[in-house]
mmCIF file of all heavy atoms in Angstrom:
data_model
loop_
_atom_site.group_PDB
_atom_site.id
_atom_site.type_symbol
_atom_site.label_atom_id
_atom_site.label_comp_id
_atom_site.label_asym_id
_atom_site.label_seq_id
_atom_site.Cartn_x
_atom_site.Cartn_y
_atom_site.Cartn_z
ATOM 1 N N PHE P 100 17.802 -109.080 17.647
ATOM 2 C CA PHE P 100 18.995 -108.343 17.474
ATOM 3 C C PHE P 100 19.604 -108.849 16.062
ATOM 4 O O PHE P 100 19.661 -110.019 15.792
ATOM 5 C CB PHE P 100 20.021 -108.589 18.563
ATOM 6 C CG PHE P 100 19.570 -107.913 19.751
ATOM 7 C CD1 PHE P 100 18.934 -108.705 20.736
ATOM 8 C CD2 PHE P 100 19.943 -106.570 20.097
ATOM 9 C CE1 PHE P 100 18.588 -108.118 21.923
ATOM 10 C CE2 PHE P 100 19.490 -106.010 21.258
ATOM 11 C CZ PHE P 100 18.806 -106.710 22.180
ATOM 12 N N GLU P 101 20.201 -107.872 15.347
ATOM 13 C CA GLU P 101 20.894 -108.205 14.137
ATOM 14 C C GLU P 101 22.352 -108.595 14.426
ATOM 15 O O GLU P 101 23.044 -107.941 15.174
ATOM 16 C CB GLU P 101 20.886 -106.981 13.177
ATOM 17 C CG GLU P 101 19.495 -106.584 12.705
ATOM 18 C CD GLU P 101 19.590 -105.379 11.749
ATOM 19 O OE1 GLU P 101 20.693 -104.714 11.715
ATOM 20 O OE2 GLU P 101 18.596 -105.020 11.099
ATOM 21 N N VAL P 102 22.783 -109.674 13.824
ATOM 22 C CA VAL P 102 24.241 -110.001 13.759
ATOM 23 C C VAL P 102 24.777 -109.655 12.400
ATOM 24 O O VAL P 102 24.224 -110.175 11.375
ATOM 25 C CB VAL P 102 24.410 -111.491 14.076
ATOM 26 C CG1 VAL P 102 25.842 -111.884 14.024
ATOM 27 C CG2 VAL P 102 23.803 -111.928 15.372
ATOM 28 N N THR P 103 25.757 -108.790 12.404
ATOM 29 C CA THR P 103 26.266 -108.276 11.201
ATOM 30 C C THR P 103 27.673 -108.753 10.841
ATOM 31 O O THR P 103 28.349 -109.210 11.813
ATOM 32 C CB THR P 103 26.282 -106.749 11.144
ATOM 33 O OG1 THR P 103 27.054 -106.325 12.181
ATOM 34 C CG2 THR P 103 24.780 -106.202 11.331
ATOM 35 N N MET P 104 28.052 -108.668 9.572
ATOM 36 C CA MET P 104 29.397 -108.999 9.238
ATOM 37 C C MET P 104 30.332 -107.922 9.825
ATOM 38 O O MET P 104 30.245 -106.793 9.624
ATOM 39 C CB MET P 104 29.554 -108.969 7.706
ATOM 40 C CG MET P 104 31.003 -109.180 7.214
ATOM 41 S SD MET P 104 31.726 -110.807 7.620
ATOM 42 C CE MET P 104 30.723 -111.900 6.604
ATOM 43 N N PRO P 105 31.280 -108.363 10.710
ATOM 44 C CA PRO P 105 32.181 -107.452 11.460
ATOM 45 C C PRO P 105 33.236 -106.899 10.454
ATOM 46 O O PRO P 105 33.544 -107.468 9.493
ATOM 47 C CB PRO P 105 32.794 -108.250 12.534
ATOM 48 C CG PRO P 105 32.787 -109.616 11.937
ATOM 49 C CD PRO P 105 31.601 -109.782 11.163
ATOM 50 N N GLN P 106 33.766 -105.745 10.845
ATOM 51 C CA GLN P 106 34.833 -105.160 10.035
ATOM 52 C C GLN P 106 36.102 -105.383 10.779
ATOM 53 O O GLN P 106 36.339 -104.872 11.887
ATOM 54 C CB GLN P 106 34.620 -103.636 9.821
ATOM 55 C CG GLN P 106 35.722 -103.022 8.956
ATOM 56 C CD GLN P 106 35.380 -101.619 8.469
ATOM 57 O OE1 GLN P 106 34.942 -100.872 9.371
ATOM 58 N NE2 GLN P 106 35.620 -101.281 7.356
ATOM 59 N N MET P 107 37.057 -106.093 10.240
ATOM 60 C CA MET P 107 38.295 -106.421 10.819
ATOM 61 C C MET P 107 39.423 -105.667 10.096
ATOM 62 O O MET P 107 40.201 -106.244 9.307
ATOM 63 C CB MET P 107 38.558 -107.922 10.842
ATOM 64 C CG MET P 107 37.608 -108.630 11.761
ATOM 65 S SD MET P 107 37.584 -110.392 11.520
ATOM 66 C CE MET P 107 36.553 -110.579 10.075
ATOM 67 N N GLY P 108 39.443 -104.355 10.221
ATOM 68 C CA GLY P 108 40.317 -103.472 9.501
ATOM 69 C C GLY P 108 39.500 -102.619 8.558
ATOM 70 O O GLY P 108 38.480 -103.040 7.928
ATOM 71 N N ALA P 109 39.876 -101.304 8.514
ATOM 72 C CA ALA P 109 39.047 -100.316 7.787
ATOM 73 C C ALA P 109 39.000 -100.577 6.291
ATOM 74 O O ALA P 109 38.072 -100.106 5.587
ATOM 75 C CB ALA P 109 39.630 -98.936 8.036
ATOM 76 N N ASP P 110 39.961 -101.278 5.713
ATOM 77 C CA ASP P 110 39.925 -101.575 4.272
ATOM 78 C C ASP P 110 39.187 -102.948 4.002
ATOM 79 O O ASP P 110 39.225 -103.373 2.849
ATOM 80 C CB ASP P 110 41.337 -101.572 3.673
ATOM 81 C CG ASP P 110 42.272 -102.563 4.226
ATOM 82 O OD1 ASP P 110 41.893 -103.149 5.294
ATOM 83 O OD2 ASP P 110 43.352 -102.832 3.667
ATOM 84 N N MET P 111 38.674 -103.576 5.052
ATOM 85 C CA MET P 111 37.890 -104.777 4.864
ATOM 86 C C MET P 111 36.521 -104.287 4.420
ATOM 87 O O MET P 111 35.847 -103.592 5.194
ATOM 88 C CB MET P 111 37.842 -105.632 6.063
ATOM 89 C CG MET P 111 36.940 -106.849 5.936
ATOM 90 S SD MET P 111 36.864 -107.866 7.474
ATOM 91 C CE MET P 111 35.458 -108.849 7.032
ATOM 92 N N THR P 112 35.974 -104.801 3.284
ATOM 93 C CA THR P 112 34.687 -104.396 2.857
ATOM 94 C C THR P 112 33.694 -105.507 2.780
ATOM 95 O O THR P 112 32.471 -105.309 2.710
ATOM 96 C CB THR P 112 34.764 -103.716 1.442
ATOM 97 O OG1 THR P 112 35.316 -104.676 0.497
ATOM 98 C CG2 THR P 112 35.571 -102.438 1.446
ATOM 99 N N GLU P 113 34.235 -106.752 2.914
ATOM 100 C CA GLU P 113 33.342 -107.912 2.786
ATOM 101 C C GLU P 113 34.082 -109.155 3.438
ATOM 102 O O GLU P 113 35.286 -109.129 3.554
ATOM 103 C CB GLU P 113 32.913 -108.244 1.397
ATOM 104 C CG GLU P 113 34.044 -108.519 0.471
ATOM 105 C CD GLU P 113 33.703 -108.717 -0.950
ATOM 106 O OE1 GLU P 113 32.525 -108.374 -1.275
ATOM 107 O OE2 GLU P 113 34.472 -109.155 -1.778
ATOM 108 N N GLY P 114 33.324 -110.133 3.797
ATOM 109 C CA GLY P 114 33.853 -111.412 4.258
ATOM 110 C C GLY P 114 33.006 -112.547 3.778
ATOM 111 O O GLY P 114 31.858 -112.331 3.355
ATOM 112 N N THR P 115 33.577 -113.747 3.788
ATOM 113 C CA THR P 115 32.919 -114.907 3.317
ATOM 114 C C THR P 115 32.475 -115.740 4.580
ATOM 115 O O THR P 115 33.268 -116.039 5.449
ATOM 116 C CB THR P 115 33.735 -115.831 2.458
ATOM 117 O OG1 THR P 115 34.252 -115.024 1.316
ATOM 118 C CG2 THR P 115 33.040 -117.020 1.985
ATOM 119 N N LEU P 116 31.187 -116.021 4.586
ATOM 120 C CA LEU P 116 30.707 -116.847 5.666
ATOM 121 C C LEU P 116 30.954 -118.356 5.310
ATOM 122 O O LEU P 116 30.305 -118.930 4.416
ATOM 123 C CB LEU P 116 29.141 -116.696 5.849
ATOM 124 C CG LEU P 116 28.583 -117.131 7.224
ATOM 125 C CD1 LEU P 116 27.396 -116.316 7.625
ATOM 126 C CD2 LEU P 116 28.280 -118.631 7.248
ATOM 127 N N LEU P 117 31.896 -118.914 5.987
ATOM 128 C CA LEU P 117 32.356 -120.283 5.687
ATOM 129 C C LEU P 117 31.414 -121.341 6.208
ATOM 130 O O LEU P 117 30.918 -122.201 5.421
ATOM 131 C CB LEU P 117 33.788 -120.552 6.210
ATOM 132 C CG LEU P 117 34.937 -119.869 5.456
ATOM 133 C CD1 LEU P 117 36.259 -120.350 6.128
ATOM 134 C CD2 LEU P 117 35.014 -120.239 4.008
ATOM 135 N N HIS P 118 31.211 -121.283 7.483
ATOM 136 C CA HIS P 118 30.439 -122.360 8.171
ATOM 137 C C HIS P 118 29.538 -121.737 9.277
ATOM 138 O O HIS P 118 29.987 -120.946 10.033
ATOM 139 C CB HIS P 118 31.277 -123.449 8.752
ATOM 140 C CG HIS P 118 32.226 -124.050 7.787
ATOM 141 N ND1 HIS P 118 31.798 -124.911 6.685
ATOM 142 C CD2 HIS P 118 33.538 -124.029 7.699
ATOM 143 C CE1 HIS P 118 32.862 -125.244 6.079
ATOM 144 N NE2 HIS P 118 33.990 -124.763 6.582
ATOM 145 N N TRP P 119 28.322 -122.239 9.378
ATOM 146 C CA TRP P 119 27.485 -121.930 10.548
ATOM 147 C C TRP P 119 27.764 -123.029 11.571
ATOM 148 O O TRP P 119 27.730 -124.206 11.331
ATOM 149 C CB TRP P 119 26.001 -122.026 10.143
ATOM 150 C CG TRP P 119 25.467 -120.728 9.493
ATOM 151 C CD1 TRP P 119 25.071 -120.595 8.243
ATOM 152 C CD2 TRP P 119 25.333 -119.493 10.154
ATOM 153 N NE1 TRP P 119 24.688 -119.336 8.016
ATOM 154 C CE2 TRP P 119 24.800 -118.632 9.153
ATOM 155 C CE3 TRP P 119 25.525 -119.031 11.410
ATOM 156 C CZ2 TRP P 119 24.504 -117.308 9.392
ATOM 157 C CZ3 TRP P 119 25.222 -117.703 11.671
ATOM 158 C CH2 TRP P 119 24.725 -116.804 10.664
ATOM 159 N N LEU P 120 28.078 -122.561 12.807
ATOM 160 C CA LEU P 120 28.387 -123.496 13.881
ATOM 161 C C LEU P 120 27.087 -123.596 14.856
ATOM 162 O O LEU P 120 27.130 -124.448 15.717
ATOM 163 C CB LEU P 120 29.490 -122.991 14.719
ATOM 164 C CG LEU P 120 30.822 -122.818 13.862
ATOM 165 C CD1 LEU P 120 31.988 -122.308 14.800
ATOM 166 C CD2 LEU P 120 31.201 -124.210 13.249
ATOM 167 N N LYS P 121 26.073 -122.802 14.597
ATOM 168 C CA LYS P 121 24.838 -122.864 15.246
ATOM 169 C C LYS P 121 23.681 -122.944 14.291
ATOM 170 O O LYS P 121 23.778 -122.432 13.185
ATOM 171 C CB LYS P 121 24.637 -121.614 16.216
ATOM 172 C CG LYS P 121 25.704 -121.474 17.300
ATOM 173 C CD LYS P 121 25.638 -122.605 18.347
ATOM 174 C CE LYS P 121 26.608 -122.328 19.421
ATOM 175 N NZ LYS P 121 26.542 -123.363 20.452
ATOM 176 N N ASN P 122 22.610 -123.615 14.657
ATOM 177 C CA ASN P 122 21.474 -123.765 13.827
ATOM 178 C C ASN P 122 20.277 -122.980 14.255
ATOM 179 O O ASN P 122 20.218 -122.554 15.411
ATOM 180 C CB ASN P 122 21.036 -125.269 13.788
ATOM 181 C CG ASN P 122 22.134 -126.142 13.199
ATOM 182 O OD1 ASN P 122 22.810 -125.823 12.188
ATOM 183 N ND2 ASN P 122 22.432 -127.293 13.847
ATOM 184 N N VAL P 123 19.351 -122.684 13.333
ATOM 185 C CA VAL P 123 18.116 -121.965 13.708
ATOM 186 C C VAL P 123 17.447 -122.711 14.820
ATOM 187 O O VAL P 123 17.256 -123.932 14.767
ATOM 188 C CB VAL P 123 17.220 -121.786 12.512
ATOM 189 C CG1 VAL P 123 15.964 -121.181 12.936
ATOM 190 C CG2 VAL P 123 17.925 -120.966 11.435
ATOM 191 N N GLY P 124 17.040 -122.061 15.810
ATOM 192 C CA GLY P 124 16.391 -122.663 17.037
ATOM 193 C C GLY P 124 17.363 -122.880 18.180
ATOM 194 O O GLY P 124 16.833 -123.111 19.336
ATOM 195 N N ASP P 125 18.681 -122.826 17.953
ATOM 196 C CA ASP P 125 19.578 -123.063 19.046
ATOM 197 C C ASP P 125 19.623 -121.884 19.969
ATOM 198 O O ASP P 125 19.519 -120.667 19.592
ATOM 199 C CB ASP P 125 21.071 -123.208 18.503
ATOM 200 C CG ASP P 125 21.272 -124.523 17.828
ATOM 201 O OD1 ASP P 125 20.382 -125.365 17.950
ATOM 202 O OD2 ASP P 125 22.313 -124.688 17.175
ATOM 203 N N VAL P 126 19.703 -122.084 21.259
ATOM 204 C CA VAL P 126 19.806 -121.070 22.265
ATOM 205 C C VAL P 126 21.249 -120.585 22.388
ATOM 206 O O VAL P 126 22.244 -121.400 22.551
ATOM 207 C CB VAL P 126 19.321 -121.533 23.668
ATOM 208 C CG1 VAL P 126 19.491 -120.461 24.747
ATOM 209 C CG2 VAL P 126 17.916 -121.967 23.583
ATOM 210 N N ILE P 127 21.488 -119.258 22.271
ATOM 211 C CA ILE P 127 22.806 -118.718 22.129
ATOM 212 C C ILE P 127 23.060 -117.864 23.352
ATOM 213 O O ILE P 127 22.286 -117.092 23.881
ATOM 214 C CB ILE P 127 22.944 -117.790 20.866
ATOM 215 C CG1 ILE P 127 22.487 -118.563 19.671
ATOM 216 C CG2 ILE P 127 24.359 -117.291 20.787
ATOM 217 C CD1 ILE P 127 23.199 -119.802 19.311
#
């Protein structure tokens, strides 16, 4: 499944990914 940048308001066009709290291989 794809995890995408969510839209929080219709005029939001982009967001900055600050920190990953999970690592590759972690069970979610």
Side-chain angles (χ1 to χ4, degrees):
F100 292 95
E101 295 178 347
V102 179
T103 60
M104 175 62 69
Q106 184 172 42
M107 294 165 281
D110 61 346
M111 175 182 169
T112 59
E113 62 186 11
T115 302
L116 198 152
L117 286 184
H118 304 292
W119 280 110
L120 302 179
K121 299 292 184 180
N122 298 314
V123 173
D125 288 352
V126 177
I127 309 298

